[in-house]
């Protein structure tokens, strides 16, 4: 069986540097080999740094080889992939199309530790790669593989309709994509942010109708032409790194609102009981996108020309260091993308 050499960046804690590690990998019957051109960078990569694994899970590139059983893709196809890499395929969650909730689902940093998207090549099961339309340039596509897919899935899981007002807590990598998608769906949008005035300026430029700063939540900042006395939120996406004080936010929810938890955190969730129960609110969780919604999201983004806010870096040791520094300091606006440098650089 032919083996393929793959070189991936990982973080070496002893030297506090990003280093390359080379591994040999066979191409499975149902897998594709991809020459990486770009990869998004996500806070999940920060969490994974200490695992000494291949980093990156928002990859984009061109297929160079396919396994013997692959019929849906061919060499030369441009594809992307996200966090999820495998599931059992037979449980009720998988059969319903929600393989991200499979008890045996595994993804980046928990599946193949020798691989990541910060690499020269990547091998993955063809069912976990997604063909990209020409309307989405490669330097933007990685953002849709994680932040885009996650926020689109969350809006779908909440049953979001065009007449709804969507609330977005946290205007970061996830939050800014939530604003872009919600506006493209025809919704009004209120951003709840912990910082001002930059957050308000950015929120309105992204298309939001209202911004509320959590430290002064009762005083709304509204864009021109919006005159509601108190616009109540039907769907609330928690996109911040930590769940906010729900005591503050619940008064701004419409009756029977849906709260969607998207943050990755370890702190317990505290819910004010009666203010939550009496209006008939509900809380749901949403993580990765189903394959169907991942594909639908890509087509939706292409049709509406959704453009994420991206900072671009070279996929080099220096480029990774700069990108991670900005991300960990909260300075990234709003998503970082690494680009494989031209030959010779």
């Amino acid at each position: 069986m032919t083996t393929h050499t793959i070189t991936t960046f990982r973080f070496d804690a002893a030297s506090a540097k990003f280093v390359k590690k080379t591994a040999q990998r066979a191409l499975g019957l149902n897998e594709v080999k991809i020459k990486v051109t770009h990869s998004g960078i996500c806070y999940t990569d920060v969490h994974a740094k200490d695992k000494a694994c291949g980093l990156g899970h928002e990859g984009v590139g061109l297929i160079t080889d396919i396994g013997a059983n692959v019929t849906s893709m061919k060499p030369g196809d441009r594809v992307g992939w996200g966090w999820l890499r495998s599931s059992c395929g037979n449980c009720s969650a998988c059969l319903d199309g929600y393989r991200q909730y499979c008890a045996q689902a595994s993804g980046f940093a928990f599946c193949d530790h020798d691989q990541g998207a910060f690499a020269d090549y990547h091998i993955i099961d063809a069912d976990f790669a997604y063909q990209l339309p020409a309307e989405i340039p490669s330097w933007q596509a990685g953002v849709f593989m994680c932040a885009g897919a996650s926020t689109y899935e969350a809006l779908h899981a909440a049953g979001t309709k065009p007449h709804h007002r969507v609330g977005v807590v946290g205007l970061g990598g996830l939050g800014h994509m939530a604003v872009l998608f919600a506006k493209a769906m025809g919704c009004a949008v209120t951003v709840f942010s912990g910082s001002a005035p930059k957050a308000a300026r950015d929120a309105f430029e992204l298309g939001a109708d209202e911004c509320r700063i959590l430290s002064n939540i009762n005083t709304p900042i509204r864009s021109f032409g919006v005159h509601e006395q108190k616009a109540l939120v039907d769907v609330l996406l928690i996109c911040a790194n930590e769940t906010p004080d729900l005591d503050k936010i619940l008064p701004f929810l419409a009756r029977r609102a849906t709260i969607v938890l998207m943050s990755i955190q370890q702190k317990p969730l505290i819910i004010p009981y009666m203010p939550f129960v009496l209006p008939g609110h509900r809380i749901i969780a949403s993580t990765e996108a189903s394959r169907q919604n991942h594909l639908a999201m890509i087509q939706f983004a292409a049709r509406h020309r959704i453009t994420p806010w991206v900072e671009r870096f070279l996929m080099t040791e220096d480029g990774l260091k700069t990108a991670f520094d900005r991300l960990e300091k909260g300075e990234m606006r709003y998503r970082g993308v690494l680009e494989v440098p031209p030959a010779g650089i």
Side-chain angles (χ1 to χ4, degrees):
M1 180 179 292
T2 303
T3 58
H4 300 262
T5 301
I6 294 176
T7 302
T8 307
F9 274 104
R10 62 195 60 227
F11 184 74
D12 179 65
S15 63
K17 292 182 178 180
F18 293 94
V19 298
K20 291 181 178 180
K21 181 179 178 181
T22 297
Q24 299 295 316
R25 179 74 151 73
L27 183 67
L29 295 175
N30 299 310
E31 293 181 325
V32 294
K33 180 183 178 184
I34 305 163
K35 182 174 178 56
V36 179
T37 62
H38 298 77
S39 176
I41 177 173
C42 168
Y43 216 87
T44 301
D45 296 307
V46 175
H47 296 315
K49 278 172 61 178
D50 295 334
K51 295 182 180 294
C53 63
L55 293 171
H57 62 281
E58 302 179 3
V60 178
L62 302 173
I63 292 178
T64 61
D65 299 274
I66 62 173
N69 291 347
V70 176
T71 59
S72 60
M73 297 176 179
K74 64 184 184 303
D77 285 351
R78 189 173 62 113
V79 299
W81 69 94
W83 183 88
L84 191 64
R85 297 185 58 86
S86 68
S87 69
C88 79
N90 298 309
C91 68
S92 59
C94 287
L95 294 176
D96 284 342
Y98 292 96
R99 59 192 186 180
Q100 68 269 37
Y101 301 122
C102 171
Q104 298 180 44
S106 59
F108 155 73
F110 297 96
C111 189
D112 188 337
H113 282 216
D114 285 330
Q115 283 206 100
F118 304 166
D120 55 356
Y121 290 93
H122 192 83
I123 292 176
I124 192 169
D125 189 303
D127 282 344
F128 292 85
Y130 309 94
Q131 297 198 45
L132 299 170
E135 294 87 348
I136 299 178
S138 293
W139 62 271
Q140 295 179 7
V143 180
F144 293 106
M145 296 302 102
C146 181
S150 298
T151 50
Y152 186 93
E153 176 76 24
L155 290 165
H156 178 270
T160 307
K161 305 296 182 187
H163 65 274
H164 284 157
R165 175 174 287 268
V166 173
V168 177
V169 180
L171 192 66
L174 278 178
H176 98 287
M177 292 302 298
V179 175
L180 291 171
F181 274 124
K183 289 303 295 183
M185 291 175 180
C187 302
V189 174
T190 294
V191 169
F192 296 89
S193 177
S195 60
K198 178 178 70 70
R201 291 196 302 266
D202 289 354
F204 295 139
E205 189 171 341
L206 287 162
D209 302 280
E210 179 182 76
C211 184
R212 290 182 180 269
I213 307 305
L214 294 176
S215 60
N216 189 24
I217 197 169
N218 291 311
T219 303
I221 305 169
R222 292 195 173 110
S223 63
F224 180 77
V226 178
H227 303 293
E228 296 101 328
Q229 188 67 28
K230 187 177 180 181
L232 298 178
V233 168
D234 304 285
V235 174
L236 184 74
L237 304 190
I238 307 294
C239 300
N241 287 334
E242 293 185 0
T243 302
D245 182 354
L246 292 179
D247 262 324
K248 288 184 175 182
I249 295 180
L250 289 184
F252 298 93
L253 301 188
R255 313 296 282 188
R256 303 181 69 236
T258 300
I259 301 171
V260 188
L261 302 178
M262 301 180 64
S263 303
I264 303 299
Q265 62 161 39
Q266 300 298 322
K267 294 182 178 180
L269 176 66
I270 299 175
I271 304 171
Y273 188 82
M274 293 306 287
F276 177 82
V277 170
L278 291 180
H281 299 323
R282 64 174 182 147
I283 289 180
I284 63 174
S286 185
T287 58
E288 272 273 331
S290 66
R291 180 169 176 81
Q292 180 178 354
N293 276 339
H294 207 127
L295 293 169
M297 175 274 303
I298 293 169
Q299 294 302 321
F300 184 88
R303 185 178 308 119
H304 291 274
R305 298 293 198 274
I306 292 176
T307 303
W309 287 18
V310 167
E311 294 186 22
R312 300 162 78 171
F313 308 86
L314 287 179
M315 196 182 292
T316 61
E317 181 183 337
D318 287 343
L320 265 72
K321 182 180 185 304
T322 302
F324 271 82
D325 283 348
R326 287 190 59 75
L327 182 61
E328 292 182 58
K329 291 176 181 176
E331 296 173 350
M332 193 80 77
R333 295 180 64 210
Y334 278 101
R335 207 69 179 181
V337 171
L338 297 160
E339 303 178 287
V340 173
I345 295 181

